[in-house]
Amino acid sequence: MHLPRATYRVQLHQDFNFQKLKAIISYLSRLGISTIYAAPFFKATPGSVHGYDVLNPLQINPEIGTLDEFREISRELKARNMQWIQDIVPNHMAFSSHNPWIYDVLEKGPHSQFYRFFDIDWLYPEEGFLGKLMVPTLGSPLDKVLEAGEIKLTWGDKGFSFAYYDHHFPANISSYALLITLASESLSKQNPEEQLVKEYFLLAKRVEDFVNALPAGEQAVEGWDTLKEELLTLSQKYQPVKQALAEVAKEISEDADQLKDLLQSQYFRLTHWKITEQQINYRRFFTVNDLICLNMQDQKVFDAYHQFIKTLVDEDLVQGLRVDHIDGLFDPSIYLERLRKLAGKDTYIVVEKILEGQEEMPTQWPIEGSSGYEYLALSNQLFTNPQGGAALLKEYQQLGQSADYESLVYRNKHFILKNRMAGELDNLFHLMQTLDIIPYQDTMDDPAKLKEALGQFMIAFPIYRVYANKLPFSEQDMLFIKNTFQSAEERAPELAPYFRQLHEIFNGVDDKDEESNQNKLYFNIRTQQFTGPLAAKGVEDTTFYQYFPLISLNEVGDSPEHLGMSAAIFHQRMLSRDLTVMNTTATHDTKRGEDARMRINVLSELPEQWGETFEKWQGLNKSFLTEANGKTMPGVNDEYFLYQTMIGTFPFHISPEEDNYAQRLEDYLLKAIREAKVHTNWAAPNEAYEKAFAQFAKHILEDKNFMSEFEDFAEDIARSGAVYSLAQTLLRLCVPGVPDTYQGTEFWDLSMVDPDNRRPVDYQARQDALDRMETSWKQQPISLVESLRSDLLNPEIKLFTLYQALKARQQYRPIFEEGSYVPVEVSPSFENHLLAFRRLTESAEALVVIPLNIHSLKTDQHFPLGKACWQEAELLGIAGNWQNVFTQQTMNFHQNATVAEILADFPVALFIKV
């Protein structure tokens, strides 16, 4: 097994390609990174900055580089004993005519070899969609678009296509018979030379014969690509042919009725993009129209999609795989079994999976674990004070937030299902009817209520999904389903008879004939493909922007429903944590930077002071509010959100101008309030509210009186937050699991949600800082430590913490990769202020000590250091000689050790027993 020692996540795209990555390999190796962990690098939509909109999984994105360049990088990595983990996207691809598989489907319909590759309902019952793929790209209904002349039939280097701005959709094979015949008339009028006429009409006859010979049903055909290429070559060879074909396209484009008739004969139907909120005939990623899902459960699709991935593994260019959105697949268990067989037993495989509450990763999956979101939540909760969190909730409720969290989640999931995923619900209900699995259907005379009950069941689902793929279901899965129905019935008791009816479908037992059982199982699994997207859109992309007693907890994998965790509970979770899973605290998907979260968490230690401060700031900035139609803009909830955001993200370490802070904040606030869907949204923006909020943020940033007050309060918070950031960094590297570092987070990560967290990284600054550190470390380690701690806001102190811990992890690998986790007892009066543990094997041992809840303990130095802070606090039962990784000092402890001595020179400690 290629178990990584420490991974480093990079986002590859045209502005950070293979050549730029190659330039930092030496730096990453020096830093102590063993494995590059790369975002999808397959050919994607032009200009893609994330890579999840894959156009072609069989080649590397040319904007990133070439296969030969990747092989060169692989050779350099191996020379440094480094590895590569590749993120793959089996759930979906870009829905674009640039996608060669989609293009083939649009052009050939049931005669395409990719006809069943995508999750499309070709028998969609709505009028006008039978045998057609909905293409929701239009800005208005089709008739209005045609009336405005915005769609044109064109002839180009790929043949006939329908152009709508930057979109080009191919005319289907059958259209060519008509279009070439029309072009024949135009060509005859040009009096072309005899040889040209002969060549053209012979080819036209072959095209006509090919079209007439097309089989009636689903059957892939060969020969069309060659025939079409001959036509394109003839067009390039003879200008009269090209002119005739282009003239036909132009004439049809100028006749709206004729153009509409031709469009209606295609294998697709162009629609207004908003139609998918209520009606859709393909499965998409969440509610993103431009990402179409695959039928990955089909072995042919799996084999075709993974050809290149297999090549990369077989050539040992890739030693690990990260599977994106595993919950979207029809049967994740079977998929992972196939992937393991393809990749082999030595390939490190993790999946992107959101675990809710006490949910655990399915034990039957042949993987090493998750990509780390559950660890992010544990770490985040650890640095939140539970008592202060409860007080913050009371403060927040006094602002007018009357709804409890569960009710808000219910309301938002209901909104998403009704207003954004109504088409998906309709499709599921139609599938239920088609499969003929509805029990005692004759006694239920209101199908609308049964569909509503199905929706309520999906809304009430407490986790993303279950993974049962055979009957009977496990006891755990049956319990989830039973509890879901109970919860749904509590919310909608009037639907009780319909829930009982549905429960017979979702009962998870083998209680009918074989065909009915298989249909029931299929429907169960199919429904689970949509409970996850509903949860993600209703919670992460809606509720998280509406409800925030402490916004740092509104995070992927975490929840604002839980406000803090004790050290004792954290220890319990680490005792059972696998050694092979990933530990991450920042990703491309996180809602805010890992260090921004640590700052905001400090508010949980001073809830009363924060409440008073918020009220004061409200008064100072009241004049910047906008009054319109009896409403105040922004609302108090959004103002609360803004101040917390600023506390987390304000760049005290550099000037706001250098950080482009005002513009970044404005962009983020716009995204936040549109995601919240309260005062504005993406589908129908409220420009007045958006402008008022942007102006409010601009005014307070420019107001010297407020900013003086803000900086006095927030800078003190930032210093405590910086200590937690160092603790968070050390913890990630020392608890069980594989530590992952997100690009650029060697320095302070005060980013906001994407795309802000994907900004360019200044690697030269980081390399220069590392050079200075290495030089100073060789001369006088303690002097370097003293210099770094002289300014806790200096981002180099975080790089130092990361670097020293990674070096220790590299030097003492068995401790961290094999060692057990043993909590260390702390003096009772300080048990809420410290977390300490050992990692040990039979022959080696490490000790980790980090501070918690320090704001009330800090001295005038702003550091939780020495006796002034830690008084008589002790760690119990750690006798022996220990060397401090951060200072190189050696200490001898008898049975117990004073924390004042352990944390005398640096805010966190990592010792190796010597």
Side-chain angles (χ1 to χ4, degrees):
M1 170 60 61
H2 297 289
L3 184 67
R5 185 180 68 250
T7 64
Y8 189 92
R9 170 77 179 201
V10 291
Q11 296 295 121
L12 295 168
H13 46 77
Q14 62 184 357
D15 296 322
F16 189 76
N17 55 23
F18 280 157
Q19 289 303 312
K20 291 187 177 180
L21 173 62
K22 187 178 179 183
I24 67 165
I25 290 176
S26 174
Y27 159 71
L28 295 178
S29 178
R30 286 168 56 206
L31 188 60
I33 298 299
S34 74
T35 308
I36 290 174
Y37 164 32
F41 64 8
F42 308 99
K43 186 174 182 181
T45 301
S48 175
V49 296
H50 51 76
Y52 290 97
D53 45 355
V54 175
L55 288 174
N56 188 345
L58 306 184
Q59 69 176 97
I60 288 175
N61 190 343
E63 294 181 354
I64 293 172
T66 66
L67 181 56
D68 284 340
E69 286 178 308
F70 184 49
R71 288 185 175 118
E72 187 178 337
I73 286 174
S74 180
R75 286 192 291 271
E76 181 166 348
L77 291 176
K78 288 176 181 175
R80 298 177 183 275
N81 199 27
M82 295 175 70
Q83 302 169 342
W84 186 284
I85 294 174
Q86 184 55 53
D87 199 345
I88 61 174
V89 197
N91 177 66
H92 55 268
M93 295 178 71
F95 189 1
S96 164
S97 58
H98 292 292
N99 182 329
W101 294 359
I102 287 288
Y103 189 94
D104 203 72
V105 170
L106 296 179
E107 183 177 45
K108 299 174 185 173
H111 311 302
S112 167
Q113 62 177 311
F114 307 110
Y115 187 65
R116 293 290 177 180
F117 273 42
F118 297 97
D119 201 342
I120 301 165
D121 184 359
W122 293 108
L123 300 178
Y124 192 60
E126 293 296 324
E127 183 180 355
F129 283 98
L130 183 63
K132 299 180 186 298
L133 171 59
M134 178 185 293
V135 181
T137 59
L138 304 182
S140 305
L142 178 60
D143 286 343
K144 288 188 176 181
V145 170
L146 288 171
E147 185 179 339
E150 294 173 336
I151 297 177
K152 306 288 185 185
L153 179 66
T154 65
W155 171 260
D157 58 5
K158 296 186 75 174
F160 285 110
S161 62
F162 298 91
Y164 176 71
Y165 295 100
D166 294 334
H167 301 282
H168 293 270
F169 306 103
N172 65 17
I173 297 175
S174 298
S175 300
Y176 277 77
L178 167 67
L179 297 173
I180 287 182
T181 299
L182 293 174
S184 300
E185 301 172 5
S186 176
L187 184 63
S188 299
K189 296 176 183 177
Q190 299 180 45
N191 297 316
E193 57 185 86
E194 184 177 339
Q195 180 61 29
L196 167 58
V197 172
K198 182 178 180 181
E199 284 188 51
Y200 179 81
F201 281 97
L202 283 173
L203 183 56
K205 181 65 168 61
R206 289 169 57 205
V207 169
E208 184 179 354
D209 291 344
F210 186 94
V211 171
N212 291 335
L214 286 173
E218 285 182 40
Q219 183 179 328
V221 296
E222 296 181 356
W224 171 250
D225 294 335
T226 301
L227 200 57
K228 182 179 169 186
E229 187 59 36
E230 289 184 41
L231 181 61
L232 290 168
T233 300
L234 196 65
S235 172
Q236 294 166 357
K237 182 179 178 181
Y238 295 116
Q239 182 62 29
V241 172
K242 182 177 182 180
Q243 183 178 336
L245 294 168
E247 186 63 32
V248 165
K250 183 174 181 292
E251 289 176 0
I252 291 177
S253 297
E254 291 173 349
D255 186 329
D257 290 336
Q258 195 172 5
L259 181 59
K260 184 176 182 179
D261 288 343
L262 188 61
L263 277 169
Q264 288 177 338
S265 69
Q266 303 305 308
Y267 295 126
F268 58 85
R269 182 172 176 182
L270 300 179
T271 66
H272 187 201
W273 67 268
K274 287 193 70 174
I275 195 175
T276 57
E277 294 178 353
Q278 299 295 319
Q279 183 181 352
I280 192 166
N281 76 338
Y282 65 94
R283 185 168 62 90
R284 52 189 172 162
F285 174 71
F286 291 2
T287 57
V288 182
N289 289 345
D290 295 336
L291 297 175
I292 186 169
C293 294
L294 290 151
N295 283 322
M296 193 52 69
Q297 67 274 17
D298 187 324
Q299 183 73 55
K300 287 197 305 183
V301 179
F302 179 93
D303 292 342
Y305 189 90
H306 291 81
Q307 291 176 64
F308 185 49
I309 294 169
K310 179 172 171 54
T311 297
L312 297 175
V313 172
D314 288 349
E315 284 194 34
D316 198 29
L317 301 173
V318 166
Q319 292 77 37
L321 298 170
R322 182 260 198 192
V323 182
D324 180 65
H325 192 46
I326 191 69
D327 284 341
L329 302 179
F330 181 79
D331 193 333
S333 299
I334 289 180
Y335 170 80
L336 290 171
E337 290 168 6
R338 289 172 176 169
L339 185 66
R340 174 58 72 191
K341 183 178 180 181
L342 176 143
K345 61 182 177 61
D346 291 332
T347 301
Y348 178 76
I349 300 177
V350 293
V351 300
E352 185 248 359
K353 165 72 185 141
I354 304 298
L355 296 169
E356 298 283 359
Q358 299 301 311
E359 181 188 6
E360 296 182 354
M361 192 71 72
T363 56
Q364 72 269 26
W365 288 356
I367 60 173
E368 278 57 64
S370 76
S371 58
Y373 287 120
E374 77 291 339
Y375 175 78
L376 185 155
L378 291 171
S379 175
N380 202 23
Q381 292 285 338
L382 176 66
F383 292 102
T384 303
N385 182 292
Q387 292 74 34
L392 278 175
L393 179 58
K394 289 183 179 179
E395 292 278 350
Y396 184 60
Q397 289 171 336
Q398 290 174 3
L399 299 179
Q401 179 55 264
S402 58
D404 66 276
Y405 181 73
E406 286 189 5
S407 295
L408 199 58
V409 168
Y410 169 82
R411 189 175 76 194
N412 286 325
K413 289 174 74 172
H414 188 274
F415 170 86
I416 293 295
L417 191 59
K418 181 180 179 181
N419 296 283
R420 299 291 186 270
M421 294 177 63
E424 280 85 351
L425 178 59
D426 282 347
N427 294 346
L428 278 171
F429 187 67
H430 177 68
L431 176 63
M432 186 196 300
Q433 294 171 310
T434 302
L435 292 173
D436 194 25
I437 56 175
I438 303 174
Y440 43 97
Q441 186 169 357
D442 294 341
T443 65
M444 292 290 177
D445 57 359
D446 195 341
K449 286 188 177 180
L450 186 61
K451 184 175 76 170
E452 185 181 353
L454 175 62
Q456 290 287 347
F457 169 77
M458 295 171 65
I459 290 167
F461 217 77
I463 57 177
Y464 268 44
R465 65 172 291 173
V466 295
Y467 303 98
N469 58 8
K470 62 181 178 180
L471 298 173
F473 290 179
S474 69
E475 290 184 10
Q476 181 66 48
D477 288 345
M478 286 187 175
L479 182 60
F480 272 127
I481 290 170
K482 177 184 176 182
N483 291 341
T484 299
F485 275 112
Q486 288 178 348
S487 177
E489 190 167 338
E490 288 173 5
R491 294 284 183 184
E494 71 280 4
L495 297 175
Y498 299 93
F499 288 133
R500 288 194 292 273
Q501 190 177 7
L502 283 177
H503 197 273
E504 292 196 26
I505 300 174
F506 289 98
N507 62 11
V509 298
D510 196 351
D511 59 354
K512 300 185 183 303
D513 62 79
E514 184 176 351
E515 181 180 358
S516 295
N517 280 328
Q518 287 304 308
N519 286 342
K520 183 174 72 171
L521 178 62
Y522 178 83
F523 185 73
N524 271 260
I525 298 174
R526 186 62 165 170
T527 301
Q528 296 298 307
Q529 285 187 284
F530 296 97
T531 52
L534 178 58
K537 295 306 295 181
V539 179
E540 293 172 24
D541 293 342
T542 306
T543 306
F544 277 10
Y545 291 94
Q546 296 178 0
Y547 179 92
F548 24 78
L550 194 65
I551 61 170
S552 50
L553 304 182
N554 295 27
E555 192 52 86
V556 180
D558 203 351
S559 170
E561 186 177 18
H562 307 289
L563 293 165
M565 172 185 291
S566 69
I569 294 177
F570 184 83
H571 281 317
Q572 290 176 9
R573 300 299 291 270
M574 290 302 106
L575 284 168
S576 61
R577 188 159 179 81
D578 290 336
L579 294 167
T580 58
V581 300
M582 275 189 169
N583 297 334
T584 190
T585 48
T587 79
H588 57 289
D589 276 335
T590 41
K591 301 296 184 183
R592 52 193 51 81
E594 62 182 24
D595 303 314
R597 289 198 307 271
M598 292 300 100
R599 285 187 183 181
I600 297 166
N601 284 347
V602 177
L603 296 179
S604 68
E605 298 176 47
L606 50 148
E608 292 79 13
Q609 184 184 349
W610 164 237
E612 293 168 359
T613 300
F614 174 68
E615 288 183 11
K616 185 177 182 181
W617 290 354
Q618 275 187 300
L620 287 172
N621 296 324
K622 188 175 181 179
S623 62
F624 300 135
L625 297 171
T626 300
E627 298 289 339
N629 300 321
K631 292 185 178 181
T632 301
M633 300 183 291
V636 64
N637 202 39
D638 286 338
E639 189 175 356
Y640 199 70
F641 179 89
L642 169 60
Y643 295 145
Q644 288 190 68
T645 297
M646 289 177 61
I647 286 169
T649 60
F650 193 78
F652 288 106
H653 59 297
I654 58 175
S655 71
E657 291 78 16
E658 184 181 353
D659 197 49
N660 194 28
Y661 184 70
Q663 186 60 56
R664 289 175 49 231
L665 182 63
E666 180 181 337
D667 293 343
Y668 172 62
L669 294 178
L670 176 62
K671 179 169 183 173
I673 58 176
R674 285 187 176 180
E675 294 282 23
K677 307 171 187 69
V678 175
H679 302 288
T680 185
N681 58 66
W682 295 104
N686 181 341
E687 294 182 4
Y689 191 89
E690 293 174 355
K691 182 179 179 181
F693 199 10
Q695 287 297 312
F696 181 82
K698 179 176 183 292
H699 287 317
I700 68 172
L701 286 174
E702 294 174 348
D703 185 74
K704 293 181 180 179
N705 185 31
F706 166 71
M707 288 306 296
S708 176
E709 294 275 352
F710 170 79
E711 291 183 17
D712 285 346
F713 178 82
E715 187 169 357
D716 188 42
I717 296 291
R719 293 184 185 280
S720 293
V723 174
Y724 292 153
S725 291
L726 304 185
Q728 176 182 238
T729 299
L730 181 61
L731 199 62
R732 184 179 77 242
L733 269 66
C734 295
V735 297
V738 177
D740 173 48
T741 299
Y742 183 67
Q743 61 177 29
T745 59
E746 308 95 298
F747 281 3
W748 300 133
D749 176 18
L750 306 177
S751 58
M752 304 169 220
V753 77
D754 67 282
D756 192 69
N757 62 4
R758 300 170 188 175
R759 286 171 294 151
V761 177
D762 185 351
Y763 281 109
Q764 190 60 55
R766 287 156 177 79
Q767 292 181 74
D768 291 345
L770 187 58
D771 290 342
R772 291 191 297 271
M773 263 175 222
E774 289 182 327
T775 300
S776 299
W777 181 257
K778 291 175 183 177
Q779 297 171 351
Q780 189 65 41
I782 195 66
S783 295
L784 173 61
V785 170
E786 291 171 351
S787 172
L788 288 170
R789 76 168 192 237
S790 65
D791 180 8
L792 197 56
L793 297 181
N794 180 350
E796 293 185 15
I797 194 171
K798 186 184 179 188
L799 175 63
F800 171 76
T801 305
L802 178 69
Y803 174 53
Q804 292 300 121
L806 282 171
K807 279 203 305 182
R809 191 175 177 96
Q810 186 172 18
Q811 188 174 354
Y812 304 101
R813 289 188 67 169
I815 293 178
F816 300 102
E817 295 182 8
E818 303 168 13
S820 57
Y821 179 96
V822 180
V824 171
E825 190 176 352
V826 178
S827 300
S829 58
F830 281 86
E831 60 187 6
N832 293 324
H833 295 285
L834 286 162
L835 182 132
F837 61 91
R838 295 182 293 159
R839 296 293 307 280
L840 58 107
T841 64
E842 291 183 357
S843 58
E845 187 172 347
L847 170 68
V848 177
V849 185
I850 64 167
L852 304 171
N853 302 313
I854 62 169
H855 203 70
S856 62
L857 301 178
K858 289 191 307 180
T859 66
D860 292 338
Q861 299 172 292
H862 299 289
F863 289 96
L865 296 178
K867 194 172 181 66
C869 174
W870 297 111
Q871 302 172 32
E872 303 304 321
E874 289 186 315
L875 303 183
L876 311 182
I878 57 166
N881 292 318
W882 300 85
Q883 185 174 48
N884 190 325
V885 165
F886 297 115
T887 66
Q888 289 298 285
Q889 295 171 322
T890 300
M891 299 180 182
N892 177 262
F893 303 130
H894 295 292
Q895 184 60 21
N896 302 332
T898 60
V899 177
E901 187 177 2
I902 288 174
L903 298 179
D905 299 298
F906 202 64
V908 297
L910 170 58
F911 287 88
I912 303 297
K913 200 167 193 177
V914 294

